[in-house]
Short mmCIF file of all heavy atoms in Angstrom, two decimals:
data_model
loop_
_atom_site.label_atom_id
_atom_site.label_comp_id
_atom_site.label_asym_id
_atom_site.label_seq_id
_atom_site.Cartn_x
_atom_site.Cartn_y
_atom_site.Cartn_z
N MET A 52 -149.00 72.72 -4.07
CA MET A 52 -150.18 72.72 -4.95
C MET A 52 -149.83 73.15 -6.36
O MET A 52 -150.29 72.54 -7.34
CB MET A 52 -151.24 73.65 -4.37
CG MET A 52 -151.97 73.12 -3.15
SD MET A 52 -153.26 74.27 -2.60
CE MET A 52 -153.93 73.35 -1.22
N THR A 53 -149.01 74.19 -6.48
CA THR A 53 -148.62 74.62 -7.83
C THR A 53 -147.78 73.56 -8.53
O THR A 53 -147.88 73.39 -9.75
CB THR A 53 -147.84 75.94 -7.76
OG1 THR A 53 -146.67 75.77 -6.95
CG2 THR A 53 -148.69 77.05 -7.17
N SER A 54 -146.97 72.82 -7.77
CA SER A 54 -146.15 71.77 -8.37
C SER A 54 -146.99 70.57 -8.81
O SER A 54 -146.60 69.83 -9.71
CB SER A 54 -145.08 71.30 -7.38
OG SER A 54 -144.22 72.37 -7.02
N LEU A 55 -148.13 70.38 -8.16
CA LEU A 55 -148.99 69.22 -8.47
C LEU A 55 -150.06 69.54 -9.50
O LEU A 55 -150.97 68.73 -9.71
CB LEU A 55 -149.65 68.71 -7.19
CG LEU A 55 -148.73 68.05 -6.16
CD1 LEU A 55 -149.53 67.65 -4.92
CD2 LEU A 55 -148.04 66.83 -6.75
N THR A 56 -149.98 70.69 -10.14
CA THR A 56 -151.03 71.08 -11.09
C THR A 56 -151.20 70.05 -12.20
O THR A 56 -152.33 69.62 -12.50
CB THR A 56 -150.70 72.45 -11.70
OG1 THR A 56 -150.71 73.44 -10.66
CG2 THR A 56 -151.75 72.83 -12.74
N LYS A 57 -150.13 69.64 -12.82
CA LYS A 57 -150.21 68.69 -13.92
C LYS A 57 -150.74 67.33 -13.47
O LYS A 57 -151.64 66.76 -14.12
CB LYS A 57 -148.85 68.54 -14.60
CG LYS A 57 -148.47 69.74 -15.45
CD LYS A 57 -149.46 69.96 -16.58
CE LYS A 57 -149.03 71.12 -17.47
NZ LYS A 57 -150.03 71.36 -18.56
N PRO A 58 -150.23 66.74 -12.38
CA PRO A 58 -150.83 65.48 -11.92
C PRO A 58 -152.30 65.60 -11.56
O PRO A 58 -153.10 64.69 -11.83
CB PRO A 58 -149.98 65.13 -10.68
CG PRO A 58 -148.68 65.79 -10.93
CD PRO A 58 -149.00 67.06 -11.64
N LEU A 59 -152.70 66.74 -10.97
CA LEU A 59 -154.11 66.92 -10.62
C LEU A 59 -154.98 66.99 -11.87
O LEU A 59 -156.14 66.56 -11.85
CB LEU A 59 -154.28 68.20 -9.79
CG LEU A 59 -153.73 68.16 -8.36
CD1 LEU A 59 -153.85 69.53 -7.71
CD2 LEU A 59 -154.47 67.12 -7.53
N GLN A 60 -154.44 67.51 -12.96
CA GLN A 60 -155.21 67.58 -14.19
C GLN A 60 -155.43 66.21 -14.83
O GLN A 60 -156.29 66.07 -15.71
CB GLN A 60 -154.51 68.51 -15.19
CG GLN A 60 -154.65 69.98 -14.85
CD GLN A 60 -154.05 70.87 -15.91
OE1 GLN A 60 -152.92 70.64 -16.38
NE2 GLN A 60 -154.77 71.89 -16.31
N ASP A 61 -154.68 65.21 -14.40
CA ASP A 61 -154.89 63.86 -14.90
C ASP A 61 -156.05 63.15 -14.21
O ASP A 61 -156.55 62.14 -14.71
CB ASP A 61 -153.62 63.02 -14.71
CG ASP A 61 -152.48 63.47 -15.61
OD1 ASP A 61 -152.77 64.07 -16.66
OD2 ASP A 61 -151.31 63.23 -15.26
N ILE A 62 -156.48 63.67 -13.06
CA ILE A 62 -157.54 63.01 -12.31
C ILE A 62 -158.86 62.99 -13.06
O ILE A 62 -159.52 61.94 -13.14
CB ILE A 62 -157.69 63.66 -10.92
CG1 ILE A 62 -156.44 63.39 -10.08
CG2 ILE A 62 -158.94 63.13 -10.20
CD1 ILE A 62 -156.47 64.03 -8.70
N PRO A 63 -159.33 64.11 -13.66
CA PRO A 63 -160.60 64.05 -14.40
C PRO A 63 -160.58 63.03 -15.54
O PRO A 63 -161.57 62.32 -15.75
CB PRO A 63 -160.77 65.47 -14.94
CG PRO A 63 -160.02 66.32 -13.98
CD PRO A 63 -158.84 65.50 -13.57
N ALA A 64 -159.46 62.95 -16.27
CA ALA A 64 -159.37 61.98 -17.36
C ALA A 64 -159.45 60.55 -16.83
O ALA A 64 -160.08 59.68 -17.46
CB ALA A 64 -158.07 62.19 -18.14
N SER A 65 -158.83 60.30 -15.68
CA SER A 65 -158.90 58.97 -15.08
C SER A 65 -160.31 58.63 -14.66
O SER A 65 -160.79 57.50 -14.86
CB SER A 65 -157.95 58.89 -13.87
OG SER A 65 -156.62 59.16 -14.24
N ILE A 66 -161.00 59.60 -14.07
CA ILE A 66 -162.39 59.37 -13.65
C ILE A 66 -163.27 59.11 -14.86
O ILE A 66 -164.12 58.21 -14.84
CB ILE A 66 -162.90 60.57 -12.84
CG1 ILE A 66 -162.12 60.70 -11.53
CG2 ILE A 66 -164.39 60.44 -12.55
CD1 ILE A 66 -162.47 61.92 -10.72
N CYS A 67 -163.09 59.89 -15.91
CA CYS A 67 -163.89 59.70 -17.12
C CYS A 67 -163.69 58.31 -17.70
O CYS A 67 -164.64 57.66 -18.14
CB CYS A 67 -163.53 60.75 -18.17
SG CYS A 67 -164.08 62.43 -17.76
N TYR A 68 -162.44 57.84 -17.69
CA TYR A 68 -162.17 56.51 -18.23
C TYR A 68 -162.80 55.43 -17.37
O TYR A 68 -163.41 54.48 -17.88
CB TYR A 68 -160.66 56.29 -18.35
CG TYR A 68 -160.31 54.88 -18.81
CD1 TYR A 68 -160.44 54.53 -20.15
CD2 TYR A 68 -159.86 53.93 -17.91
CE1 TYR A 68 -160.14 53.24 -20.58
CE2 TYR A 68 -159.56 52.65 -18.32
CZ TYR A 68 -159.70 52.30 -19.66
OH TYR A 68 -159.41 51.02 -20.07
N ILE A 69 -162.65 55.56 -16.04
CA ILE A 69 -163.21 54.55 -15.14
C ILE A 69 -164.74 54.51 -15.25
O ILE A 69 -165.35 53.43 -15.22
CB ILE A 69 -162.78 54.84 -13.69
CG1 ILE A 69 -161.26 54.63 -13.55
CG2 ILE A 69 -163.52 53.94 -12.71
CD1 ILE A 69 -160.71 55.06 -12.21
#
Side-chain angles (χ1 to χ4, degrees):
M52 286 183 179
T53 58
S54 299
L55 291 178
T56 296
K57 286 299 183 182
L59 289 175
Q60 285 184 314
D61 291 336
I62 293 178
S65 301
I66 295 175
C67 290
Y68 176 77
I69 293 173

